[in-house]
Amino acid sequence: MLARASFGAQGANLAAPVRPVVACFWYGAQTAASSGAMVALLIRSDSLMAFHKGAHYLDHSRLEVSSYVIMWALQLLLIQKGMETVRKFQDWAGPAVWVAMLILAIGLCVKAGGFSFDHGMPMNVLLEKTRDASVSGEPGSFWALMAVRATWITYFAELYLNFCDFSRYAKSRNAVKKGNLWGLPVNLIAFSLVAGVTTIAAFKVYGEVLLHPEQISASFDSWMVVLIAAPTFAVATLGINLVANFVSAAFDISNVFPRHISFGKGGYIAAIIALMLYPFAPSSASIEPVSML
């Protein structure tokens, strides 16, 4: 709340339209990522793979476009039901991601022959991956850790501007403190450890560095695992998108003309902007199913 208050009564009107511009871009990108997880599952079907490789629109396949529109519509439906629906959705999505990640981690550790933090990844591969993630320095070095730290600070600094969009619905101050404690340091550290173990095990099984859970889940030969993991990660991405981009954009757009634009209308405007930006999203046409080794 103080982050917004620091702009002043009139200055806040300047910050309000700036934040949704960024949020709308990320809203479209996260929706594309969510639909990509579903595409990775669907192209296991020969008929859908043929559909995926068929006609393209603005460098996106028909399957990608269809998946994007479905995910886009689902978010719009959730947000129009109100913040209570968003809260209930988040209460379900968070634990679901943990279940899916643990399934991946345990399954890959079994395939890899056990649990280990000894990754054995070639340094040139790690350097390439860290450069792609805009992290400078040798992996594990002091400067690389500082770069990661700066990235996290930058990431949360943006979300901090809209912290009040959610804290206003908390039952008490203690509830906010407890949520921040379990949701940030505890959950973040634990999830990072599980993600690290999963990535290491995936490298030992597949021989390549897969950083995204949907890529790893798509590599499983078991339909059951993929059927659980891919939709879960798609839903998780939707949950992150709602919190980080959709809600903030809707409130901020509404703040520009509060007499004429409600929270719901602000959500519609943000969704339409994100839909218009979709043609500029990177294509996932190169996604191919990988069999379990």
Side-chain angles (χ1 to χ4, degrees):
M1 186 71 76
L2 293 177
R4 283 186 176 181
S6 63
F7 286 97
Q10 299 300 322
N13 292 324
L14 175 63
V18 173
R19 175 67 177 97
V21 170
V22 178
C24 286
F25 273 94
W26 275 109
Y27 170 49
Q30 288 285 86
T31 304
S34 177
S35 62
M38 294 306 299
V39 170
L41 167 64
L42 296 174
I43 58 177
R44 284 174 165 257
S45 166
D46 292 337
S47 58
L48 289 175
M49 173 59 85
F51 182 68
H52 177 60
K53 290 184 175 180
H56 281 60
Y57 305 107
L58 298 173
D59 200 34
H60 293 276
S61 72
R62 289 177 294 183
L63 183 60
E64 289 174 334
V65 174
S66 301
S67 299
Y68 183 91
V69 172
I70 291 173
M71 292 299 174
W72 175 85
L74 284 175
Q75 292 174 100
L76 195 59
L77 178 64
L78 282 170
I79 205 71
Q80 292 307 309
K81 294 292 184 179
M83 287 298 295
E84 182 62 20
T85 301
V86 173
R87 184 188 66 79
K88 291 180 179 179
F89 178 77
Q90 290 296 106
D91 287 345
W92 173 84
V97 175
W98 262 108
V99 171
M101 280 298 294
L102 289 175
I103 290 175
L104 286 182
I106 294 172
L108 285 169
C109 284
V110 171
K111 288 285 183 180
F115 166 85
S116 175
F117 279 113
D118 182 17
H119 57 80
M121 301 176 187
M123 183 56 66
N124 62 321
V125 175
L126 289 176
L127 287 172
E128 180 183 352
K129 292 295 182 180
T130 52
R131 279 196 300 267
D132 291 342
S134 300
V135 176
S136 59
E138 182 177 324
S141 67
F142 172 79
W143 294 113
L145 293 175
M146 289 299 100
V148 172
R149 179 172 177 267
T151 301
W152 275 109
I153 292 174
T154 303
Y155 175 78
F156 282 111
E158 178 190 6
L159 299 178
Y160 187 68
L161 285 173
N162 290 91
F163 181 74
C164 56
D165 289 337
F166 302 94
S167 61
R168 71 176 73 176
Y169 296 101
K171 295 180 179 180
S172 65
R173 184 182 181 88
N174 286 333
V176 174
K177 290 182 177 180
K178 186 183 296 183
N180 285 338
L181 174 63
W182 286 102
L184 290 174
V186 176
N187 181 70
L188 183 61
I189 293 173
F191 197 85
S192 297
L193 290 173
V194 174
V197 170
T198 304
T199 302
I200 292 171
F203 176 77
K204 292 181 177 180
V205 173
Y206 302 121
E208 59 178 321
V209 180
L210 302 173
L211 299 180
H212 302 287
E214 64 271 15
Q215 293 176 338
I216 298 174
S217 64
S219 302
F220 272 82
D221 197 36
S222 170
W223 261 98
M224 183 59 66
V225 173
V226 179
L227 195 60
I228 294 173
T232 301
F233 290 126
V235 169
T237 306
L238 292 186
I240 295 171
N241 210 16
L242 285 172
V243 172
N245 303 311
F246 204 174
V247 171
S248 62
F251 271 123
D252 290 335
I253 291 173
S254 173
N255 186 69
V256 177
F257 299 106
R259 292 185 180 180
H260 306 286
I261 303 177
S262 63
F263 172 73
K265 289 181 180 178
Y268 277 119
I269 294 173
I272 292 172
I273 294 174
L275 187 62
M276 294 172 63
L277 292 172
Y278 176 63
F280 302 99
S283 173
S284 58
S286 60
I287 294 177
E288 296 286 349
V290 181
S291 297
M292 191 72 161
L293 297 179

